[in-house]
Each structure stands twice: as structure tokens, then as C-alpha cells.
Amino acid sequence: MNVVKAPPVSCAGFSLALGDRPLVQKLDFAPAHGSSSVVIGQTGVGKSVFLKTIAGVLPARTFRLGGSLQVHGIDAYVNGRKTGLEAWSRIMRRGLVFVPAESAQAMNPALTLDHNLKLLAPESRAAIERRLTTYFGLEFGAFARLYPDEVSGGELQRITLMILLSRQGDLVLLDEPTVNLDRQLRKRFIDFLNEEILPDQEKTVLMASHDLDFIQALKLDHAWALENARLAPLEELPRATGFEKRTAKKSGEPGLVIEHLSQRFFKRGIFGERTFAAFTGLSITFDRSTIYGITGPSGCGKSSMIKAILRLLDGTKGSIVLDGEDLVRMKPRERGTDPSAFLPFRRKMAVVQQDSRFAFFPDQRIRDSLKHIARAQNGRGTLDPEEVQRQLTKVGLASAHLDVHPRSLSSGEMKRMDIARALAAKPEVLLLDEPFAHIDFETRTQVMRAISDYMAESAAILIVVTHEDFDLRYFVERSHDFPELVGKVQGR
Amino acid sequence: MRKLSSILKAVCVLALASPLALAWAPPSWLPGVLAPSFEAALQASFRQLSVTLAATLAVTTLLTVALGYLSVLSMRFGRTGASILNSVESVPSILVALFCYAPVSGYLARHASGASQTVSLAVFILAAALTALPEAVRSVAIPLGDLYHRKYSLSFRSYGFTKRRILAVLMGSRGMRNTLKRVAAAVVLKTLVLDCSFGFIIQLGFGSYGTPAHASPGALIAAHRDALFDGGTPILFWLPSLLLVLISLSFLLTLGDRKEVAA
């Protein structure tokens, strides 16, 4: 006898708001059991917040809820209030798997990876080991005794993804699962989802993503668009399109010349400190007015190269020449302050780091943070409020976004805010580390246009570390694979 | 609703910790149902306890903030400091307290006046601070180092801020303020346990109320342990014990108060 199972998620007049800003309004939504759906939408519309609400991990202080939501037929929210421990314990026992965007955060840093596995998915060890080997080329046994901070970010993300996705549960919630995966891993992850997760008729998959290339490669049943606080079904997925790039301003000035650069790190072990090389033998010239793309697997040293150029690391050998001066010789060590001779070069460089949530003071309005930053950068590169406003408009943000705390903005909005800040500083060297992660494709072209407009006005040196095909296709002019560039990557 | 529960929790914590405040009330405020000498000793011991807790809290918090900040600022200082504090931590706290009292025991025995009380308090604060510092400094240095190295250093150093300034700003952030609040609660809880157990042992060993001029509820409990036997008045034993449990509970409530952080 066929038993019709209750929808794994069922919303009735469900609403969700961040302060006065509605994210979801009066939503009636009930994906069928065993189906797979994706929610797409522009950055900051509330896709991730919606998934976190279903997973029960939303900070209730910050958001206002209304209406009702059931998970596995059990009341999770009634009249906008989260139900008690007993109801949520039953939901968890029925099986709810939530994979956050920063999936590695699911790991307990005080436990080894083996203990984390025992805690999160004790019944699925064999499947996890097989899947890690088959799809990600990792032997779990080699990592089992290590702590999360002893493996590279990419390895940790792969292990965490497989542990979380191998947990037993009928409802799987995936929040931007490809954000930090490099191109090769993304392809393997697509194979994994298509072969092992999506065909499983016992699992209902609900995913939030802005990565159109990724979504199009998946065998999904339904697609929904979250726009203006309404969730509407999509007949077909939108196509990613590029944009017409302005010609960059030309300059005869030399660019950034890197020769025989190597970066070593110190690691503490049982027998004292030992060093390992993030990369060695990097020699490359970054000309002005060209958009350089640096690709490569996670953990290969791309972000370390950016930090080395910024002179924020010890253990750098070789030379980085800008405007005829060797930055390594000028500042061989990082001691938390810059020698006065280096300060003019500090003002010439700007970076957008991978996680832009940490680009502004945590407890200050962004406008106040910018004032402090401007004061720290006095002289050339001072942040002119009008210039900040101009760049904000270009990246699709309003001045109202300056009057909030960083925690009130979505990851994508923070990213755009950080890019606007970097462009407003008018740097000669602009270093962007995964600048478009968390930004949907439509907004991404707008941000790319803002950056290329800057390149048309200023003959800057632009280096972009990226994993995404879209960026390489539409934005980057000259791309380099980092492992090929350095020849040989040491360490693990 | 959440605000109301926060207010209720704060009221609850204050009510539980109120014996420390009541110890400073005029003797005429006390109900007078127990022997006047016991009531006076009870009040004196909790008064002494509140002074010890406040002074230890002030000294330890100040040292914790300074050492936590310096540990992250200078890696060499952090490693050396951690080694010293780890070795202190490996010694049981009661032995640390006894060790601190040893050099001044002669002075304390000869003086029963205010001078002896001041020296006794100072020595106890030193001992309590020494035993509480390792965990307190670690509780501050680890999250502060994590905030700096893993999160904020790249952007903020690239803006030209010095490490010193970034750490100062992070130390004042909401997350670190909550950490400091929990550290403070842990320090007073640890001090309370040390003060009472130390007073208890000294009373058992020397038969007076603690060390010279160092009255402690623990010593009072030890002095009235006979009250539990036939013919005794059990309330003389249980009243100070119950008050200590209530005060400890208020610190535990503060310790468990983890603020929700927005995603």
C-alpha cells in the first residue's frame, strides 16, 4: 500500500522580516516528498535566512516571524513563534540535514575530524569514506586524527560537506554549497549530487543558490525565485549573460614585478616549530590596465600570495617590486605595524578579502567604520564620502546601507560594500580574493562593470583570485593557474 | 518577551547574590532569631567574603585584560606567559593559597589587628588571582587571537591600522565584552570556592575563624559542624551553606548567559 507522506516542509501564511524589511511575505509553500528544489534570487533577498528558519538556526532576536511552518508534519513555528524543545527534538529525530554556506563552521574545532564524524554522522562512516575517495579524491584516514585548523580550508570544506550530506535524514537543506569550491571540485560535487543525493526518492532537497552554472548542471525538479518577498515558481532558469567592458586606461608605468617569491609558514609541533612552504618560485609580472585571474585548487597558496604582496606575512623570500621599490626588502617581517618608508605603498594597495563580514568594525555602523578607515589612510587614498557614495550606487547599494551594522547585511551586500570601499580608496594595486562569491549573477555583472569603470579611469593593477567559470568567461582578461605558475607546491 | 525574560533573569541573579549586600546592612535589620554572636559572625564572614570577591575580581579582571591583550600582541610574550600560567595551573589552588600564606604566617600570627586583616586579604587576593588567571587569560586570549588572526587582521592591517589598535577595538567588541562577563563570573565563583574551602581547612586545622583576622563562611561552617549532631542547632550549619549555594547559583547563571549572535 502506498502511503502518502506529509510534505517535509509546509508553510502557511509564513512571513519573515529583518527589522522593517520583509524577506518573505505570507508564503504558502509545500514541496512534495522526495522532490528537489532550488530557490534563486538576488543577493540579500533572504534565501539563506529562509533555509535557516526551516533548519531552526535563525537568531530570533534579529528577525521577526509570522504565520506557521511545519517540518515533517510537526509544528516548527506557530503564529510566528518557534515551538519548544520537544517539537524540535521530534523534527530532528525524523531527520533534518542543514548544510550552511560556510560549511566548515559545522565542525567542532576542539575535536579531531574523526570525533567530529562520530558526533555528526556515526552511522555513515563507510559512505563518507567511499564518497570522499570517489568524488573528492581524499582518504579520510589520512585526516582522521587532525583537528579542523590543521587541514587546509578546501580539504576541510570537502570533508565537512561529505559528513553533513551523509547524515541520515529525509530533508536536506543546502545553503550556497559551492561558494568556496574550486572549478574542478564543483564539477565533482555536481556529479555527487546528481548520482547519490538527488535521485534518492526518500530525500527532499531544498537548496538556495545564485550559481546558475551549478544549478543548470543539476537534475532538479523545481526552481523558485525569491523576489520582493514573494516565492514564485520558475518555468525555466534564467541564463547568465556578460556585459560590455569599458577599455581600461593605458599607462606606460611599470606594473607589479614578482621574482622568485616563496612563502613559508611556521607550524608548531610536538618537537617544536617546523616550517612548510605554501608556494615557492613564483615569478610573474602583473601589468597595469589588465584584469588578471588567478585560479587553482583550494589551499594551493593563492590567498597567501595576496597577503605576501600586502606584506602581511613573515617568511617571505624573493622580491615584489612596485614603482621601483622592493616591498619585501622594505618590510621583511610583519610585526603589527608598518615602517614609515612602507606607508605610501600601504596606501597604494587595497584588498577585498574572502569573507567581507570582517572588513568593517563589528559593533559600529559602516559609516563610522569608514570614517576610521579614512583616518587610518590619511594622505593619498583618503576615502572621500562622495566617492564612496558614487561607488555604492555603482555596485547597487544605497547610502542607507551605510547606517547599519555589518551583521544586518547579507554576505553578498557585505561583499559589495567592501568592493565599493576598496574602489573608493582609489588604489594602484587592487587585490580581490573571491570578490564575487555570495553575489548573484545579475548583481555580479553590475559589480564587474563598476570595477571595469574604475580600470577605465585609473591604470591600476588588478589581480582577481577566483574559482568561477563565469568570472573567467566575462571578466578576467588573462588567467593563470597558480600551481602551474609556481611550478611546485610544497606542504600538503 | 525576551526583554522581560532578561529583566527577570537579572532580578533573579541579584536576588540570589543579595546575601553579599545584606552583609553590609546594620545589625538592627537582621531578624534576631539566632544567637546574636552567631548573627554577628555570619554577617562578618559574608562581609569579608564580599570584600574578597570584589577585590579579587577587580585585580584579576585587570590582569586578565592586560595579559590577554599582550599575549596576542606579542607572540613571544604570549608563549612565555602561557608556560608560566600553565605551571601555576598544574598546582592545586588550595596549595597555591597555602604557599602564598607561608611567608607571612609569622606576621599574621603576631598581629590580630587591622594590619593583619589587610595583609591577610592582600595575600588571599594574590593567591586567588594566581589560581584564576590561567583559565581567565586563556578565555580572553583564544577568542581575541581568533578574531584577529582569522578574521580582522587582513582587512584592517591593509587599511594601515596597527595591530595594537585593531586589538584594542576588538577587545571592546560586543563578543569580547560578553566573554569578559563570563570570565568575571568564573573568577568570582572560583574565588568563592577557594575562600570557603581554604577557610574550612584552616578552621579544621587551627580551630580559629580562618587565618588570623580572615573570617570566611567556610570557616563558620567548619566551626559549627557539631550542630549536625544530637542536641545541636542544624540551622547554624545549614544557613551559611545555603547562602553560599545561592550566591554560587547567581554566578553560574551569569556564566551560562551566552548572547545570541546574529548570523
Side-chain angles (χ1 to χ4, degrees), chain A residues 6-32:
Chain A
V9 180
S10 172
C11 303
F14 190 71
S15 303
L16 186 58
L18 173 61
D20 298 327
R21 185 175 140 211
L23 299 174
V24 173
Q25 270 184 327
K26 298 201 180 303
L27 174 68
D28 295 314
F29 175 65

Side-chain angles (χ1 to χ4, degrees), chain A residues 250-268:
Chain A
K250 298 294 173 203
S251 164
E253 288 180 53
L256 186 73
V257 183
I258 295 176
E259 282 182 348
H260 310 297
L261 194 73
S262 67
Q263 181 59 54
R264 289 182 176 277
F265 287 110
F266 302 96
K267 256 193 174 179
R268 291 183 81 184

